[in-house]
Amino acid sequence: MLVTVAVYGVLVVLGAVEGLIGSFQYGNMAGSVPVAAIAADAVILVTCLLAGWAVRSVSGALAPAAGWILASFVLSMPVSNGSVIITDTTAGKWYLYGGTLSTVIGVALSFGLLARARPR
C-alpha cells in the first residue's frame, strides 16, 4: 500500500515538474514555430503513456496528467501585480491547449491499450 502511494506520488510530481519546466521554456521558437511548446506537449503525452503502461492502470496515466495540469494552469493565472508566466501568445496557446490535449490523448490511449491487453 505504501509503495503504491509512493509510486503515484512520484508520478504526480513528475508531471508537475514537466509542467514547471515547460511553463518557463515554452517560448523558445524556431522562426515562427513554437518548438519548445510542441516538444513539451509530446513529452507529457509520452509520460502519460509510459506511466499507464508501467503501473498497468489508467490511474497511472492520470497521475502525471494531473500534476502537469495543476502546475501549468496555476502558472498561467495572473497574480495580484498583474504578471503572468504563460502569456497569451501563440506559443502559450500551443503549450496549454496542446498539453491539455496531449494529457487527454495519453489517458485515453492508456485506457484503450490496457483494455485490449487484459484477458477476459
Side-chain angles (χ1 to χ4, degrees):
M1 169 82 177
L2 183 61
V3 173
T4 304
V5 171
V7 167
Y8 284 108
V10 167
L11 289 175
V12 169
V13 170
L14 175 64
V17 167
E18 288 179 12
L20 182 68
I21 292 170
S23 295
F24 286 100
Q25 297 298 321
Y26 74 92
N28 294 331
M29 310 271 278
S32 63
V33 179
V35 177
I38 294 170
D41 297 342
V43 167
I44 192 61
L45 172 66
V46 170
T47 301
C48 289
L49 288 172
L50 289 177
W53 172 78
V55 177
R56 303 277 192 258
S57 171
V58 177
S59 57
L62 276 171
W68 184 91
I69 288 171
L70 181 69
S72 295
F73 281 86
V74 164
L75 290 173
S76 70
M77 294 180 191
V79 293
S80 61
N81 66 358
S83 65
V84 64
I85 305 290
I86 302 174
T87 57
D88 188 21
T89 60
T90 302
K93 291 176 184 175
W94 270 94
Y95 175 70
L96 283 178
Y97 297 139
T100 303
L101 186 62
S102 294
T103 59
V104 170
I105 290 170
V107 170
L109 284 176
S110 293
F111 179 76
L113 293 173
L114 289 170
R116 292 180 61 153
R118 295 199 180 192
R120 295 181 184 190

